[in-house]
Amino acid sequence: MDDALAAKNSTVPWVGVRNYQARNFMRDSMQVGDGVLFYHSSCDQPGIVGIAQVASAAYPDPTQFDPSSRYHDAKSKPEEPRWLLVDVKVLEKIPNITLLALRARPELADMLLLKKGNRLSITPVEPRHWKVILKIK
């Protein structure tokens, strides 16, 4: 979150998405200006730590072509990229709304992020869930 805030215009490319369903959400569903819940997952207390918005249409993730990148995909070719990304502009850093706190809210019980077995880094958020989370922050 802090790195994204420190970037020019608080905007960063969402690199490294290597799940086809998550890629398809970016490609087919995300539009410039759409809201984004900035979620940290690989940490002691996973949760929502910021509010952002989509700042670009989907375009090829350049890390897939870079052999020195941990996101390199040797099977992906520039003329037929497998992986896409969008740029994300951070609007606000918020106190961590932990996964535990999200699960404690009955009105979020059917939120895709909280579904058992969900491991996607990108999931759609329904407007009713968005409103609840904005009230929590």
Side-chain angles (χ1 to χ4, degrees):
M1 170 55 65
D2 292 332
D3 292 342
L5 280 169
K8 183 178 179 182
N9 297 320
S10 300
T11 302
V12 293
W14 199 335
V15 299
V17 173
R18 296 298 184 264
N19 174 285
Y20 287 107
Q21 187 176 8
R23 180 216 47 200
N24 294 348
F25 285 143
M26 282 198 292
R27 181 191 67 204
D28 302 335
S29 303
M30 292 177 132
Q31 303 294 317
V32 172
D34 283 353
V36 173
L37 298 173
F38 205 106
Y39 183 83
H40 280 182
S41 58
S42 297
C43 58
D44 291 338
Q45 290 291 321
I48 298 167
V49 296
I51 307 298
Q53 69 181 24
V54 176
S56 76
Y59 62 95
D61 181 340
T63 63
Q64 67 192 303
F65 310 121
D66 180 359
S68 66
S69 171
R70 72 183 200 181
Y71 302 119
H72 179 249
D73 180 347
K75 293 182 180 178
S76 188
K77 306 295 178 212
E79 60 277 4
E80 291 184 46
R82 285 182 172 190
W83 307 111
L84 303 173
L85 61 77
V86 295
D87 293 334
V88 177
K89 177 179 178 63
V90 176
L91 303 176
E92 178 184 4
K93 181 177 179 176
I94 62 173
N96 188 2
I97 305 171
T98 66
L99 194 54
L100 190 62
L102 293 169
R103 290 190 191 284
R105 304 292 293 232
E107 62 268 46
L108 298 176
D110 61 343
M111 186 176 180
L112 190 54
L113 172 71
L114 304 178
K115 296 274 185 185
K116 186 175 182 165
N118 179 53
R119 295 290 178 258
L120 289 179
S121 60
I122 298 172
T123 58
V125 176
E126 293 184 28
R128 63 192 170 93
H129 296 143
W130 181 267
K131 288 176 187 173
V132 171
I133 289 166
L134 291 183
K135 288 179 185 175
I136 297 171
K137 74 175 185 89

